[in-house]
Amino acid sequence: GVQACRDADLVLVVGTSGLVYPAAGLPDVAASEGVDVVELNPEPTPVSRVAAHAWRTTAAAGLPALVAAL
């Protein structure tokens, strides 16, 4: 997980509180390596502070929209 976040081109964080560790620390790892973090969540979370982009939507709505945009 940690190395994957360091090596990623993008880290997508979907529908989480951002409070359960150790997984909650992975967006920080990615951001510290210059990897863009994108958060899809209806409400701000601790991940929001490191997210390059934050989409205020649910996973059910946001993920299909993301796939359709590709």
Side-chain angles (χ1 to χ4, degrees):
V2 171
Q3 193 59 47
C5 285
R6 288 185 175 130
D7 295 339
D9 294 321
L10 175 79
V11 171
L12 187 60
V13 181
V14 180
T16 180
S17 66
L19 298 174
V20 181
Y21 282 83
L26 295 175
D28 290 322
V29 170
S32 72
E33 295 291 326
V35 176
D36 281 337
V37 175
V38 175
E39 177 186 42
L40 272 76
N41 205 317
E43 301 294 327
T45 71
V47 174
S48 303
R49 66 181 169 68
V50 298
H53 305 281
W55 295 356
R56 296 294 165 230
T57 185
T58 64
L63 289 176
L66 177 64
V67 171
L70 295 177

